[in-house]
Amino acid sequence: MATIELRQVEKKFGDLHAVKPMDLTVHDGEFMVLLGPSGCGKTTTLRMISGLEAVTGGQILIDGRDVTWAHPSDRDIALVFQFFALYPHLSAWQNIAFPLQAEGESRVNIEKRVSEVARMLGIKHLLHLRPKALSGGDKQRVGLARALVRRPAAFLMDEPIGALDADARETMRAEIKQFHLTQNATTVYVTHDQIEAMALGDRIVVMSMGVVQQVGTPAEVYYDPANLFVARFIGSPGMNLVTGGYADGVVHLPGSNPYPVPPAWNTALQREMGSEGDVIVGFRPEAGRVTGTGPLVAEVYATELHGAYTVLHLSLNGTVVHIRADRGIDYPIGTAVRFDLDPEIVRFFDPQTEAALRLPFDGAQDKAQEPALRRAQDTALTGGSTNG
Amino acid sequence: MADVILQNITKRFKTVTALKGVSFDIKDGEFFVLLGPTGAGKTTTLRVISGLERQDEGSVLFDGESVDHLTPADRDVAFVFEQYSLYPTMTVYENLAFPLRSPLRRMSEQVIRQRVEETAEKLRISPLLERTTAHLSGGEMQRVSLGRALVRDPQIFLMDEPLSNLDAKLREALRVELQHLQKTEGSTTLFVTHDQIEALTMGDRIGVLNKGRIVQIGTPEDIYDRPATTFVAQLVGTPRINLHEAVREDSTLHVTNSTIHLPIPAGDDLPPSFLLGVRPEDVQIHSEGGFLGQIALIEPLGVQTILHVKTGEQTLLSLVPGMTDLRVGEEVRFNVVRERLHYFQPDGTRISVERKT
Amino acid sequence: MASVDKVGRRAPIVHSVRVDKVSRGAQILRFIRAAVVVVITSIMLIPVFWIVLTVFKSHPDAIAVPPKVVFKPRLVDSFVFLFTDRFLLPPPKLAQYPDECKESWTECVRNKCSKPRSGKELAWYECVALEGGQLVTGPGKYGEYVINSLIIAGCSTAAAVVLGLLSGYAYSRFDMPVKDFQLFFILSQRFLPAVVITIPIFLMYKDLHLQDTHLGMIILYTVVNLSLSVWLLRSFIDEIPREYEEAAMVDGYTRLQAIRKIVLPNALTGIAATTVFCLIFAWNEYAFALMLTSDVARTAPAFIPTMIGRGVVEWTSIAAGSLVFLIPVVIVTFALRKYLLRGVTFGAIRQ
Ligand SMILES: Nc1ncnc2c1ncn2[C@@H]1O[C@H](COP(=O)(O)OP(=O)(O)OP(=O)(O)O)[C@@H](O)[C@H]1O
Ligand SMILES: Nc1ncnc2c1ncn2[C@@H]1O[C@H](COP(=O)(O)OP(=O)(O)OP(=O)(O)O)[C@@H](O)[C@H]1O
Ligand SMILES: [Mg+2]
Ligand SMILES: [Mg+2]
């Protein structure tokens, strides 16, 4: 297994700066996800690591060895595009063995590796079947097995499950994660789906327009987005971002909604803003709580049932924010709703630089995880009458 | 706007019967969602209503009158296709004006311009009017497609997965827009999708279609809380409902190959063996929980986390809010919410139980 | 990827630099490959180049052995010979013309030479002929035949494309009994080579009085081209999503209106490609034309070889004939090139 290190790696296509100089270290055994919208340079980065694309500048090191100009086949990596394209004329076994045969492995070794990976994915009993005879899920498992049967220093995967339907994607996501847990192979995984990134990644690299916006664990990018882009991109729906005028410990949100800043943030805001100025308040949908006494009032714009809960879309004088609410209460469009924000997970952003403001003492990271945990337990304790 | 009734629609193609006696009604001003997996016959249903396809049996009624003999043009419906509905050789304006320029309507250019501009305003695409459609982003294109339907004042809007080709962020945004628009304009809409989130979030009522048959019709709450079959139960809700074989032993219920033994809630009348469904949010991790399990996998999604909990031979999915500091391999105790258990016959149909609420 | 692709339209990825493609050796290899392509292309173009050279040679230069590459160009001679009927003046007759008229044709025009007997002033092309010792007796047949070619090829192409478009649409959109067999049957029109069926057609045309008529040739070429145009246009129309017309029909248009407003503009690529293919066939066709026409409807390809058989072989005017004959197809192809680049690949690279 291997570490991968990028030092000031960049890529230009003519005038287009597809990847701006970028530093990144993927540790041994780490599952690193490159996440970003279409065209942000994820695939290009991956192709540079694999050697299919020449870098314009910078250095790539695998296990400390400079491979910037090494041929792709000298890098001991496996590049995986999509899992499911099986050869219809070969049996599952032959399909899985195919990459090993291409590498000229010995017969014994092939036999061993194939049955190992098949056992791991629970498809041992299917190996003699042709793809036609396999169910959809088993087909994908065979595809996954073929992708993973090699034992390279690192796996590079470019949206391997992007073409599957939602259900299969969920299943395969778990399979990939399971496989990674047992194998611990260094993996760089490209996706534009933030849910997939959160679920799979040990760490996530959020990219936009060729620039790395933030590198962090799922919890970090979720609770402490480095800037507005990350705040919007992560989460479904993304973080609510509302601009308001800050003065004397109160942010005046649209629709004459004064929001008293949580005391912990007041000093940070004063340091950044002086006594007054514009600031962007950011909060996740679950930070909103409908209460009769909340300081904020907004009009219902639309409501959505999401199975176990409802998402309320509220219009603050034209700015629509989304908050979670319990099921069971009817919120007709146009009615006014009072709500409050959980002070623990409210964040603030500078409208000029778009960067997140930090608390004065650098305890933001611990803070991010704490409330979530507590909330998880709270709900468990209060949720319905449970058997025990 | 009209109310629309389908009576026993059957449609056969050469080798397959796409629709088998489909009946439902859409009330005036209602947002009706037709939900089903691929190949269920959703598109075929829309095509029969619009007249693009003629049914073999049954009839379609608009406002109580049969429209079976009418051509698509005369039925006066608006159709939003999954893709390809914009004409690449025309500008956005021309695309929007196209339905109004139909010889059936004889509108003056001035009225057309006014209608197009109003619609563009509503969908916030006014700045795009003079652009050719080839240079629009996915979201803009889909907005224009919706606009082509909205410029008219048809009997019913038929929408065939209009959001399915968009990326997640856009889909979320347009979902809200569409719902707001439909509610404020009070237009009758039949919306087809295979995405259960879209169905739950937007529909006034949902019809679940599978292999050409309607499986269940009801409000989103009905569909989610009281799925008529295991098929419906598995179709709605992410992550999927936990569905396991279970047996009744006197007054307790035992999930095969697991540690789960539950006293059967009073009044629940169950056969000796059946399928037990538990929604992941109803599997709750709790330090004093009644059952023991081991964490097999953790998928943090931000707002909530999916835990794969192994108990005996079975793996249950549990949905907990927020992030968690549990580790893979750790032992946990958990509970299931007894009031929200689902029981199904081995053949998949729901066993309904009386519950006092 | 699929879902992303459909949405995010961006510029296609044109080229990509691979690590194994930047070394010095790889660059040299690339250069060599390009050079080979250029050389092969040049070899292919040599015959055309030679035709052009021959057009501007004098008759002795054209038949000189060894062939001449450097010579004194004669700009108009071969064209004049091509479009006129002439006979060689016997020496006594030739002697009646003053010397300054025979020296060179430009002199002849400047001196306003005239015919010795009638005193009629010589036109410039008569001067050109005189320089070669010949007298123009009238316009040649070639011009007429080129016009025949234009009429026959043009009309049959138009007919083939229009009919092909209509039936291609029908085959693409409607279910009909034994559709596959019908399509196969249509294609079978092309199975037999022309030489095999000319005799039966000749006999048939004789009875129908279609032999050596424009109409006969137009019908014949249309039929032969139709199989190609139906197949080509059907596959092009297959690629136009039927949702386009269906949307129009739901919006209140009839099928024909929908075809005119939606299908036609989107099928332009296919129409252009089909037009060029049909035109090239009808324009170049030789076997049928030779057998079924004699004079009224004779086309240029059938005529050019017959020029060889008339007294002295005038290679320069044959070359000129060939050159003139190339021009219309080149013009049409060039005019439609922007459609063709996509069309000729049979839709393979269309998105
Ligand atoms: N070979 C190339 N030549 C020119 N431009 C390129 C090339 N490859 C990529 N690009 C451009 O570089 C940018 C980044 O492309 P890249 O494929 O890395 O995006 P991505 O993040 O993988 O997007 P997606 O999610 O759509 O796959 C894009 O603007 C793309 O058009
Ligand atoms: N024109 C046709 N000819 C033959 N079979 C057809 C035709 N149209 C649809 N079918 C078949 O009818 C069945 C239902 O198709 P339909 O397009 O209605 O499904 P759908 O629910 O819209 O699926 P999707 O989610 O994939 O769009 C499928 O088995 C399909 O193959
Ligand atoms: Mg990519
Ligand atoms: Mg469909």
Side-chain angles (χ1 to χ4, degrees):
Chain A
M1 291 298 113
T3 59
I4 300 172
E5 201 181 336
L6 308 189
R7 290 188 190 154
Q8 292 294 306
V9 168
E10 65 175 319
K11 179 74 196 178
K12 287 181 185 159
F13 292 109
D15 287 342
L16 180 81
H17 212 156
V19 177
K20 309 249 168 72
M22 154 173 187
D23 285 312
L24 184 69
T25 306
V26 185
H27 301 297
D28 192 13
E30 190 173 32
F31 200 112
M32 182 69 96
V33 178
L34 299 183
L35 172 69
S38 187
C40 71
K42 308 179 293 288
T43 299
T44 307
T45 309
L46 201 73
R47 286 169 60 86
M48 288 192 293
I49 299 175
S50 72
L52 290 173
E53 196 83 60
V55 302
T56 311
Q59 261 185 319
I60 299 173
L61 289 80
I62 295 183
D63 264 343
R65 180 168 72 100
D66 187 338
V67 295
T68 315
W69 295 102
H71 194 273
S73 59
D74 293 338
R75 302 187 184 200
D76 193 20
I77 39 131
L79 188 60
V80 179
F81 295 102
Q82 282 187 349
F83 282 161
F84 70 111
L86 297 177
Y87 303 113
H89 60 289
L90 300 181
S91 72
W93 191 93
Q94 287 165 319
N95 262 293
I96 300 173
F98 192 81
L100 296 177
Q101 285 163 346
E103 283 188 344
E105 271 301 330
S106 76
R107 218 179 141 74
V108 186
N109 260 347
I110 293 179
E111 196 77 53
K112 203 175 99 223
R113 287 292 298 145
V114 173
S115 60
E116 229 175 80
V117 78
R119 184 168 35 83
M120 215 140 30
L121 295 173
I123 47 172
K124 262 198 115 153
H125 56 293
L126 305 172
L127 286 179
H128 59 284
L129 295 175
R130 292 265 171 97
K132 211 167 49 194
L134 297 175
S135 75
D138 287 334
K139 252 187 234 168
Q140 274 138 30
R141 252 163 241 129
V142 173
L144 179 62
R146 186 178 61 186
L148 303 179
V149 70
R150 284 181 51 198
R151 271 197 175 152
F155 284 109
L156 308 180
M157 308 192 185
D158 194 354
E159 313 214 12
I161 55 177
L164 304 182
D165 65 40
D167 219 28
R169 230 172 22 231
E170 231 168 73
T171 324
M172 291 310 281
R173 197 173 73 197
E175 303 265 356
I176 294 171
K177 184 137 196 192
Q178 191 77 61
F179 184 87
H180 183 252
L181 284 181
T182 51
Q183 294 285 294
N184 258 313
T186 310
T187 307
V188 183
Y189 185 102
V190 162
T191 179
H192 66 270
D193 179 355
Q194 52 96 16
I195 302 238
E196 211 170 290
M198 298 280 286
L200 284 172
D202 291 327
R203 283 194 298 156
I204 300 174
V205 181
V206 186
M207 295 179 71
S208 165
M209 317 232 281
V211 180
V212 173
Q213 305 288 330
Q214 186 172 5
V215 182
T217 63
E220 278 164 14
V221 295
Y222 188 77
Y223 287 109
D224 281 306
N227 54 35
L228 292 183
F229 176 83
V230 180
R232 273 195 207 104
F233 194 77
I234 304 279
S236 152
M239 195 178 249
N240 295 299
L241 298 164
V242 190
T243 314
Y246 170 80
D248 300 330
V250 175
V251 179
H252 295 274
L253 298 179
S256 46
N257 272 312
Y259 172 66
V261 175
W265 283 95
N266 227 340
T267 31
L269 281 185
Q270 257 164 17
R271 185 192 59 201
E272 298 291 332
M273 307 274 109
S275 64
E276 53 181 78
D278 274 358
V279 70
I280 295 175
V281 182
F283 56 95
R284 296 270 170 209
E286 62 269 27
R289 289 179 298 206
V290 179
T291 61
T293 57
L296 304 174
V297 187
E299 206 173 83
V300 177
Y301 185 78
T303 61
E304 296 185 325
L305 176 70
H306 279 249
Y309 58 93
T310 304
V311 171
L312 281 183
H313 303 271
L314 304 173
S315 166
L316 286 160
N317 206 14
T319 314
V320 177
V321 299
H322 327 284
I323 70 170
R324 277 196 172 206
D326 282 338
R327 285 181 45 173
I329 307 171
D330 218 16
Y331 298 98
I333 289 181
T335 51
V337 168
R338 273 199 171 276
F339 66 104
D340 190 6
L341 302 179
D342 179 349
E344 297 282 356
I345 46 178
V346 172
R347 295 289 179 268
F348 295 88
F349 299 85
D350 183 334
Q352 256 82 54
T353 62
E354 304 208 336
L357 304 183
R358 295 293 178 202
L359 284 178
F361 51 93
D362 222 348
Q365 243 155 322
D366 310 330
K367 270 258 170 344
Q369 301 214 1
E370 245 174 60
L373 273 180
R374 203 163 60 236
R375 286 160 65 80
Q377 273 150 20
D378 285 352
T379 340
L381 285 169
T382 55
S385 67
T386 51
N387 174 276
Chain B
M1 293 286 134
D3 61 81
V4 173
I5 300 176
L6 272 72
Q7 287 177 338
N8 267 312
I9 302 287
T10 296
K11 171 75 199 173
R12 294 184 201 93
F13 292 108
K14 252 178 240 146
T15 51
V16 286
T17 307
L19 298 177
K20 300 166 190 158
V22 168
S23 303
F24 58 88
D25 61 302
I26 305 164
K27 302 191 186 74
D28 194 2
E30 188 178 36
F31 198 120
F32 192 94
V33 178
L34 205 53
L35 172 68
T38 207
K42 307 180 296 289
T43 302
T44 309
T45 310
L46 289 191
R47 292 172 61 87
V48 165
I49 296 176
S50 66
L52 289 171
E53 208 84 68
R54 177 107 343 145
Q55 69 272 26
D56 295 306
E57 284 163 33
S59 55
V60 179
L61 285 75
F62 285 10
D63 276 338
E65 281 178 39
S66 164
V67 292
D68 296 337
H69 56 286
L70 296 181
T71 63
D74 290 331
R75 291 193 190 189
D76 191 22
V77 300
F79 205 135
V80 181
F81 290 83
E82 184 172 353
Q83 51 191 129
Y84 303 129
S85 48
L86 296 185
Y87 306 127
T89 46
M90 301 183 184
T91 64
V92 171
Y93 180 87
E94 284 166 345
N95 262 290
L96 290 179
F98 189 79
L100 302 178
R101 291 203 175 122
S102 143
L104 280 183
R105 274 180 264 280
R106 297 171 198 283
M107 283 192 180
S108 73
E109 273 305 312
Q110 197 188 340
V111 178
I112 291 179
R113 175 156 286 277
Q114 193 192 336
R115 289 278 280 275
V116 169
E117 279 168 0
E118 269 171 28
T119 310
E121 195 66 41
K122 245 184 271 173
L123 289 166
R124 290 180 277 137
I125 48 174
S126 306
L128 308 177
L129 283 179
E130 297 313 318
R131 303 255 291 273
T132 60
T133 54
H135 297 125
L136 298 181
S137 78
E140 289 165 345
M141 273 199 202
Q142 216 47 295
R143 259 172 231 239
V144 178
S145 308
L146 287 175
R148 271 178 39 118
L150 295 177
V151 278
R152 290 170 46 196
D153 187 19
Q155 298 287 338
I156 182 171
F157 289 104
L158 304 175
M159 308 200 178
D160 192 358
E161 315 205 14
L163 308 181
S164 69
N165 283 330
L166 304 176
D167 71 43
K169 288 282 152 205
L170 262 171
R171 206 152 57 211
E172 271 158 25
L174 275 180
R175 217 164 62 198
V176 176
E177 292 294 315
L178 200 61
Q179 198 198 10
H180 183 78
L181 226 81
Q182 192 270 340
K183 284 280 165 323
T184 47
E185 311 260 312
S187 45
T188 313
T189 306
L190 175 53
F191 185 101
V192 156
T193 180
H194 67 264
D195 179 353
Q196 51 99 16
I197 298 263
E198 270 172 27
L200 284 183
T201 54
M202 300 205 292
D204 291 327
R205 282 194 306 148
I206 299 173
V208 181
L209 196 63
N210 186 29
K211 298 193 182 132
R213 283 184 211 283
I214 291 279
V215 189
Q216 187 176 6
I217 297 179
T219 62
E221 286 83 0
D222 285 339
I223 303 280
Y224 190 79
D225 294 339
R226 287 172 291 281
T229 64
T230 47
F231 171 80
V232 179
Q234 288 179 304
L235 191 65
V236 295
T238 65
R240 258 187 195 214
I241 191 168
N242 297 294
L243 201 59
H244 296 284
E245 284 173 16
V247 292
R248 178 167 61 89
E249 292 160 356
D250 298 330
S251 64
T252 58
L253 163 176
H254 172 53
V255 176
T256 319
N257 292 333
S258 81
T259 61
I260 300 180
H261 291 269
L262 278 176
I264 295 174
D268 289 7
D269 188 15
L270 298 172
S273 85
F274 57 96
L275 292 168
L276 178 71
V278 189
R279 294 249 176 238
E281 65 267 22
D282 297 334
V283 176
Q284 300 183 335
I285 307 298
H286 192 298
S287 49
E288 283 154 30
F291 314 115
L292 196 63
Q294 194 184 25
I295 303 281
L297 203 63
I298 300 174
E299 300 183 83
L301 307 181
V303 60
Q304 55 201 10
T305 301
I306 304 173
L307 301 175
H308 298 236
V309 182
K310 196 151 191 235
T311 159
E313 301 279 288
Q314 307 282 16
T315 304
L316 289 181
L317 299 193
S318 162
L319 198 60
V320 299
M323 299 277 184
T324 175
D325 62 350
L326 292 169
R327 302 246 172 272
V328 171
E330 209 168 305
E331 301 257 299
V332 289
R333 305 195 73 84
F334 64 95
N335 280 329
V336 295
V337 182
R338 272 193 290 161
E339 288 79 358
R340 292 204 286 264
L341 296 180
H342 305 264
Y343 310 112
F344 301 94
Q345 299 281 7
D347 72 357
T349 53
R350 183 179 186 82
I351 304 170
S352 54
V353 290
E354 302 298 316
R355 278 207 182 118
K356 302 164 285 265
T357 39
Chain C
M1 269 306 289
S3 63
V4 194
D5 264 353
K6 276 183 213 151
V7 180
R9 279 166 180 264
R10 17 185 188 111
I13 290 178
V14 190
H15 71 286
S16 201
V17 189
R18 286 171 50 175
V19 167
D20 55 340
K21 289 262 173 97
V22 291
S23 70
R24 185 117 199 104
Q27 280 174 357
I28 293 173
L29 200 70
R30 204 156 51 212
F31 177 80
I32 293 175
R33 262 188 238 151
V36 169
V37 169
V38 169
V39 168
I40 292 176
T41 311
S42 321
I43 292 174
M44 309 266 256
L45 284 176
I46 284 178
V48 178
F49 174 71
W50 199 254
I51 289 178
V52 175
L53 277 191
T54 310
V55 170
F56 298 110
K57 281 179 180 173
S58 63
H59 189 248
D61 283 345
I63 56 173
V65 179
K68 285 189 177 176
V69 179
V70 181
F71 55 89
K72 194 154 157 275
R74 315 277 307 175
L75 289 182
V76 292
D77 293 26
S78 41
F79 293 104
V80 169
F81 295 160
L82 179 66
F83 286 106
T84 55
D85 266 350
R86 292 143 284 123
F87 72 86
L88 206 57
L89 284 169
K93 284 245 170 101
L94 191 60
Q96 292 174 1
Y97 289 88
D99 276 349
E100 68 264 28
C101 294
K102 290 181 284 191
E103 202 68 350
S104 84
W105 70 274
T106 39
E107 282 296 304
C108 159
V109 171
R110 177 144 3 102
N111 294 333
K112 296 197 165 45
C113 292
S114 54
K115 282 192 182 158
R117 192 81 51 79
S118 62
K120 233 175 84 194
E121 197 179 308
L122 288 174
W124 67 269
Y125 52 86
E126 286 172 314
C127 288
V128 175
L130 188 62
E131 194 184 329
Q134 295 179 348
L135 184 67
V136 174
T137 56
K141 282 287 187 186
Y142 188 74
E144 222 174 89
Y145 294 159
V146 166
I147 288 171
N148 279 346
S149 267
L150 283 175
I151 292 171
I152 291 170
C155 291
S156 76
T157 301
V161 171
V162 169
L163 293 175
L165 196 64
L166 294 177
S167 41
Y169 179 84
Y171 280 116
S172 164
R173 293 296 196 251
F174 300 126
D175 253 344
M176 52 185 95
V178 291
K179 186 156 132 183
D180 292 345
F181 175 77
Q182 290 187 28
L183 281 167
F184 180 76
F185 179 77
I186 291 177
L187 194 64
S188 70
Q189 301 298 308
R190 282 237 150 167
F191 286 179
L192 294 179
V195 280
V196 178
I197 51 172
T198 36
I199 307 284
I201 288 178
F202 179 78
L203 296 175
M204 203 159 75
Y205 267 33
K206 231 175 123 172
D207 285 351
L208 292 172
H209 303 288
L210 284 172
Q211 185 209 356
D212 199 19
T213 60
H214 289 98
L215 182 63
M217 294 310 287
I218 291 172
I219 292 175
L220 181 63
Y221 287 171
T222 306
V223 168
V224 175
N225 267 335
L226 204 52
S227 59
L228 177 78
S229 82
V230 170
W231 272 75
L232 263 184
L233 285 168
R234 183 186 73 111
S235 59
F236 275 104
I237 292 173
D238 271 346
E239 285 191 18
I240 301 173
R242 63 170 68 204
E243 278 90 343
Y244 282 167
E245 302 133 72
E246 288 178 343
M249 288 196 292
V250 171
D251 283 342
Y253 291 80
T254 65
R255 188 175 283 275
L256 278 179
Q257 287 165 337
I259 292 177
R260 193 165 55 81
K261 287 191 189 279
I262 305 300
V263 180
L264 276 192
N266 285 299
L268 277 183
T269 308
I271 294 175
T274 313
T275 305
V276 169
F277 280 132
C278 290
L279 184 70
I280 289 174
F281 170 81
W283 186 254
N284 289 340
E285 207 287 324
Y286 174 69
F288 287 128
L290 190 66
M291 289 291 289
L292 300 179
T293 62
S294 47
D295 181 46
V296 179
R298 174 135 286 199
T299 57
F303 171 73
I304 291 173
T306 63
M307 299 200 297
I308 297 175
R310 297 189 305 169
V312 199
V313 182
E314 291 179 328
W315 289 113
T316 59
S317 51
I318 290 177
S322 308
L323 193 65
V324 168
F325 184 69
L326 280 178
I327 289 169
V329 176
V330 170
I331 289 176
V332 171
T333 314
F334 195 72
L336 297 180
R337 73 191 179 288
K338 110 169 170 228
Y339 300 106
L340 283 176
L341 280 183
R342 297 203 302 158
V344 176
T345 52
F346 290 65
I349 54 165
R350 289 162 37 119
Q351 290 171 340

